[in-house]
Amino acid sequence: MRIIVHTGKGGVGKTSISAATALRCADLGLRTIVISTDTAHSLADSLDMKIGPEPIPVTENLWAQEVDARYSMDKYWGRIQNYALDVLNTRGVQDIVAEEVTILPGLEEGAHLLWINKYAEEGQFDVLIVDAAPTAETLRLLSLPDTSRWWFQRIMGLMRGAGRVLRPLSKPLIGANLPDTDTLDSIDGLFNTLDKVRKLLADPAHSSLRLVINPERMVIKETQRTYTYLNLYGYSVDAVLLNRVIPDEVSDPYFARRKAQQRENIDFIGEAFGQLPMLQAPMFGEEVGGFESLRRLADALYGDRNPAEVLSTEQTHWIESDGKSGYYLIVALPFVEKSDLDLYRSADELTLRVGPYRRNIVLPYALWNLEIENARFEQSRLRVHFIRPDGDSAAH
């Protein structure tokens, strides 16, 4: 099953593009499901039909689902949440407050990932399209297996170690029994599943992330940072989908300045994202919704292409640890001579200039307070070494 995740700043048109992409795949004969993981669901509006927390058939070869976090948590995380509710209720915490408190770190995002695993294992679909939440939420979703496992493993380790000794005493001490082995094993199983999804999403043969963007500077900046973080976590981005470009046939003077700004920003997108393919869709004269307009959007965006294909295998830059407390930023620069290369750095950006061309890379927060120790150009790659100001990460 091919997995395609669309992400980007809120309001750029991810949902319309996700629905159009799914419909194109279905029209090509691929059994396709499109799911929305955004809490502010609009997939039903885009498809112009009612959908819910379980997949429903939309048209031939196409199913749709708006993932509901509460529903999914009850379905997949209910056992441990019920235990936590029991503990809090015995301590006199009101039911409604207890339910909110027991939404443990990562539960909502984890529920989304478990649906992806379900469809991957069942093999019912050829393509899964994910209409992801805005960028910040998507990054939390994709980093969940790394960030939440630490928290859960330590809590569970304490419970397992103390269970045999304290379980008989837990009722009088805390007013509830410690979770039994089956409950703890179920949590372990959930995290093993999350790890499987993490590997699946990071495998470019199965999964692609696509950045949906409008030709506006503020949107571009956030999308650059998202791209850098996705590289940091090892996810493959295979295209930039540029949406709502004012068409050339719009000649009204009212739009002249806006069109000029868009042209400048489209050039900047080319600089910012290197060799990634950039597919464009125009700003339509009417709202995009329903099958007819979604098909027009898919035609404009993909032409004769199959959206389920891998659009690019390029990784234009990525970040690696130096094994100590520093990092290497590695940028692929094929066909470049070292003498043609200039490097500039501000707090949160790195600018590379190669002859008349420029590449702008927005740095993740982890590198902002680090210094560049050196930059070396080897085997068509630029390796920029970031170290802490006190120099505790030695040069390599």
Side-chain angles (χ1 to χ4, degrees), residues 49-68:
M49 62 172 18
K50 185 176 177 60
I51 57 180
E54 293 279 351
I56 66 162
V58 172
T59 187
E60 186 177 3
N61 295 323
L62 181 60
W63 288 255
Q65 176 185 11
E66 289 181 336
V67 176
D68 181 274

Side-chain angles (χ1 to χ4, degrees), residues 55 119 150 192 231 240 263 341:
Y119 298 134
W150 182 94
N192 290 336
N231 278 305
V240 174
R263 284 193 295 270
L341 182 63

Side-chain angles (χ1 to χ4, degrees), residues 279-351:
L279 311 185
Q280 296 189 32
M283 179 184 292
F284 289 97
E286 70 283 339
E287 188 175 352
V288 176
F291 289 178
E292 183 179 344
S293 62
L294 289 173
R295 285 190 170 101
R296 287 205 308 274
L297 174 57
D299 288 341
L301 199 59
Y302 299 108
D304 295 330
R305 295 189 195 210
N306 178 352
E309 294 175 353
V310 178
L311 300 182
S312 172
T313 57
E314 284 284 330
Q315 190 175 14
T316 62
H317 68 271
W318 60 98
I319 296 171
E320 296 177 356
S321 170
D322 67 0
K324 297 185 179 179
S325 56
Y327 297 92
Y328 289 106
L329 171 67
I330 303 171
V331 186
L333 294 171
F335 315 117
V336 171
E337 296 292 335
K338 182 178 179 180
S339 58
D340 294 334
L341 182 63
D342 289 316
L343 175 67
Y344 308 91
R345 190 257 174 101
S346 62
D348 67 336
E349 292 184 350
L350 201 67
T351 301

Side-chain angles (χ1 to χ4, degrees), residues 23 39 58 65 85 93 116 143 164 188 191 212 215 227 238 241 261 267 301 341-342 344 357 364 368 370:
L23 187 58
T39 52
V58 172
Q65 176 185 11
L85 279 170
V93 178
I116 294 174
S143 63
R164 292 180 182 178
D188 260 343
F191 271 98
V212 182
Y227 180 52
D238 74 347
L241 307 182
Q261 287 177 332
D267 289 341
L301 199 59
L341 182 63
D342 289 316
Y344 308 91
Y357 301 103
W368 282 17
L370 304 188

Side-chain angles (χ1 to χ4, degrees), residues 170-364:
S170 62
K171 188 74 171 180
L173 285 175
I174 65 173
N177 291 318
L178 288 175
D180 57 29
T181 301
D182 287 344
T183 300
L184 294 174
D185 286 344
S186 71
I187 302 172
D188 260 343
L190 286 171
F191 271 98
N192 290 336
T193 300
L194 293 177
D195 282 339
K196 285 167 57 181
V197 178
R198 162 77 166 78
K199 292 175 183 175
L200 184 65
L201 291 174
D203 181 355
H206 290 95
S207 304
S208 298
L209 278 85
R210 292 177 185 168
L211 303 173
V212 182
I213 192 170
N214 296 154
E216 301 172 9
R217 281 289 172 135
M218 188 179 298
V219 174
I220 297 167
K221 185 91 168 182
E222 180 173 325
T223 309
Q224 284 180 272
R225 184 165 286 115
T226 300
Y227 180 52
T228 299
Y229 275 111
L230 291 173
N231 278 305
L232 181 62
Y233 285 115
Y235 295 105
S236 175
V237 175
D238 74 347
V240 174
L241 307 182
L242 180 58
N243 194 25
R244 297 177 184 155
V245 178
I246 299 174
D248 290 337
E249 57 265 28
V250 175
S251 57
D252 191 308
Y254 180 82
F255 291 98
R257 178 59 187 151
R258 184 75 181 276
K259 286 175 68 177
Q261 287 177 332
Q262 282 200 352
R263 284 193 295 270
E264 292 175 6
N265 291 338
I266 291 170
D267 289 341
F268 182 73
I269 291 169
E271 295 173 0
F273 295 98
Q275 301 302 310
L276 280 178
M278 181 168 61
L279 311 185
Q280 296 189 32
M283 179 184 292
F284 289 97
E286 70 283 339
E287 188 175 352
V288 176
F291 289 178
E292 183 179 344
S293 62
L294 289 173
R295 285 190 170 101
R296 287 205 308 274
L297 174 57
D299 288 341
L301 199 59
Y302 299 108
D304 295 330
R305 295 189 195 210
N306 178 352
E309 294 175 353
V310 178
L311 300 182
S312 172
T313 57
E314 284 284 330
Q315 190 175 14
T316 62
H317 68 271
W318 60 98
I319 296 171
E320 296 177 356
S321 170
D322 67 0
K324 297 185 179 179
S325 56
Y327 297 92
Y328 289 106
L329 171 67
I330 303 171
V331 186
L333 294 171
F335 315 117
V336 171
E337 296 292 335
K338 182 178 179 180
S339 58
D340 294 334
L341 182 63
D342 289 316
L343 175 67
Y344 308 91
R345 190 257 174 101
S346 62
D348 67 336
E349 292 184 350
L350 201 67
T351 301
L352 308 178
R353 191 179 298 276
V354 181
Y357 301 103
R358 186 182 63 183
R359 173 84 184 281
N360 180 268
I361 298 172
V362 175
L363 301 174

